[in-house]
Amino acid sequence: MQAYLFVHFREKNTPDGEQVYFGLSRDGFHWETVNGGNPVLWAYYGDKGVRDFTIIRCPENEKCYILATDLSLAYGMRNQYHHSWEEISRNGSKNLAVWESTDLVNWSEQRLIRVGEEAFGCLWAPDVIFDRENGEYLLHWSSSHADDGYGIKRIYYSRTRDFASFSSPQVLYEKEGSSVIDSAIYEENGRYYLFVKNERNPARILLLTSCHAAGPYEPVKGFEENSDVEEGCYEAPTAMRLENGKWCLFLDYYGVPGDGQGYVPFVADSLASGAFRRADQAFSFPYGFKHGTILPITMEEYWRIRSHWT
């Protein structure tokens, strides 16, 4: 039997919201707080706030890594970014924040990794997939670039084996006439599936597939027509394979203001089918939580995390 760890942040106007939070579940749908709903890790470097998490388990060195956008709106929007999202997109951090652990409870101090060159805008929403074809981890994120005047955002990637050194960034996916953000890649039956948010024409989540982790990617037929994911309401996709073999896609719902925001689950028999049905009647979380990633864990790890932060 497996359990699940959700690494996320909270959309609050105070600095404690943009820190590392954990949620736990034994079925993937009913979630409980960790550490009383308070942060388990704090960002003390860079912007002193973090958002848009991913977590990856690396069997080779028996470590787990948390990566995040280096950004605090609570501090920076009022100060160096002058209340401007445009300024963040151009002049935000070229670093990502990283923590590492061998047991999910004892974590290293935050460090910053430089994967973007100076010509990049802010590096948003990192995610990681293991590329079996090359035996490397593929780190991907979204960013604008000085080459087109910081116009549209594209998905870029860099390769690493140790999360210390990284290859030169390359374009993973771009869409003509629109920014694409919030990429998440999963493997099913030897193919890779990319979820991404398209910002306009249409403003919706896209699902694409490729036989290579770095693409090229093409649309999954049937996702837009056969899923319950409507336009203009969702971002920050993250997915997990349930013990019954089905896939659960969590999307961050921003279609209403305030407390109504947060993740909503959609379930499909397979990624290849693209037929995701909304399933929030079977879902509960004790507070609104934002952009994160789910890691399957053992029951031993579940109890270790739960008892450590009681």
Side-chain angles (χ1 to χ4, degrees):
M1 182 177 179
Q2 70 181 16
Y4 305 92
L5 169 66
F6 210 137
V7 183
H8 63 279
F9 76 102
R10 298 179 69 173
E11 193 75 273
K12 300 173 68 177
N13 293 324
T14 51
D16 61 309
E18 295 168 309
Q19 306 298 336
V20 185
Y21 289 77
F22 283 178
L24 285 173
S25 175
R26 283 185 273 185
D27 63 3
F29 290 89
H30 301 92
W31 294 84
E32 58 189 284
T33 61
V34 173
N35 198 32
N38 298 306
V40 299
L41 297 169
W42 284 76
Y44 295 109
Y45 303 104
D47 268 20
K48 298 181 175 61
V50 279
R51 305 163 64 92
D52 312 339
F53 298 99
T54 192
I55 182 170
I56 182 75
R57 189 192 299 269
C58 299
E60 296 85 357
N61 61 10
E62 299 183 339
K63 287 185 178 181
C64 289
Y65 295 87
I66 294 172
L67 295 93
T69 302
D70 173 32
L71 174 65
S72 172
L73 298 183
Y75 288 128
M77 188 61 90
R78 298 174 175 88
N79 294 299
Q80 70 265 35
Y81 301 128
H82 307 107
H83 298 276
S84 170
W85 282 101
E86 176 66 21
E87 189 162 340
I88 293 173
S89 293
R90 287 173 175 262
N91 300 319
S93 178
K94 312 301 188 292
N95 299 313
L96 296 173
V98 181
W99 290 263
E100 57 187 77
S101 174
T102 57
D103 61 7
L104 296 173
V105 297
N106 296 291
W107 291 88
S108 67
E109 190 170 358
Q110 175 202 15
R111 61 185 171 93
L112 299 175
I113 55 172
R114 180 84 168 200
V115 293
E117 58 201 46
E118 193 59 36
F120 277 105
C122 184
L123 274 60
W124 300 96
D127 189 57
V128 182
I129 183 71
F130 183 66
D131 182 352
R132 298 184 185 280
E133 190 175 12
N134 295 288
E136 298 172 311
Y137 291 90
L138 192 147
L139 168 66
H140 51 103
W141 68 91
S142 62
S143 184
S144 58
H145 200 278
D147 282 353
D148 65 351
Y150 301 98
I152 64 172
K153 295 182 178 69
R154 299 170 177 85
I155 306 300
Y156 293 88
Y157 76 92
S158 180
R159 296 183 179 277
T160 185
R161 293 179 183 271
D162 58 8
F163 292 88
S165 59
F166 298 84
S167 66
S168 297
Q170 305 289 326
V171 174
L172 176 75
Y173 179 72
E174 59 184 325
K175 199 166 188 296
E176 185 176 357
S178 177
S179 290
V180 283
I181 63 172
D182 295 353
S183 55
I185 301 177
Y186 303 92
E187 185 184 1
E188 179 186 67
N189 298 328
R191 291 192 65 86
Y192 295 91
Y193 291 84
L194 166 65
F195 291 98
V196 68
K197 182 193 177 186
N198 192 54
E199 292 277 70
R200 61 183 181 185
N201 301 322
R204 65 170 300 142
I205 301 296
L206 306 179
L207 176 58
L208 307 108
T209 186
S210 175
C211 56
H212 305 289
Y217 281 89
E218 59 186 25
V220 172
K221 295 179 180 178
F223 177 69
E224 293 188 22
E225 297 83 0
N226 298 325
S227 73
D228 291 338
V229 183
E230 67 262 37
E231 293 183 24
C233 296
Y234 301 104
E235 59 187 1
T238 187
M240 63 182 182
R241 196 165 200 169
L242 301 170
E243 285 194 288
N244 62 9
K246 294 185 177 183
W247 282 86
C248 186
L249 169 66
F250 286 86
L251 296 177
D252 197 343
Y253 178 64
Y254 61 90
V256 296
D259 292 339
Q261 297 185 30
Y263 271 98
V264 176
F266 298 78
V267 176
D269 290 336
S270 67
L271 295 176
S273 73
F276 283 88
R277 302 298 179 213
R278 187 162 168 165
D280 49 322
Q281 70 279 0
F283 175 76
S284 61
F285 202 91
Y287 54 76
F289 60 117
K290 301 293 289 182
H291 200 150
T293 295
I294 299 170
L295 179 73
I297 59 175
T298 65
M299 287 304 301
E300 179 184 359
E301 290 171 327
Y302 167 88
W303 288 111
R304 184 190 308 151
I305 295 168
R306 198 171 186 270
S307 61
H308 183 80
W309 277 290
T310 53

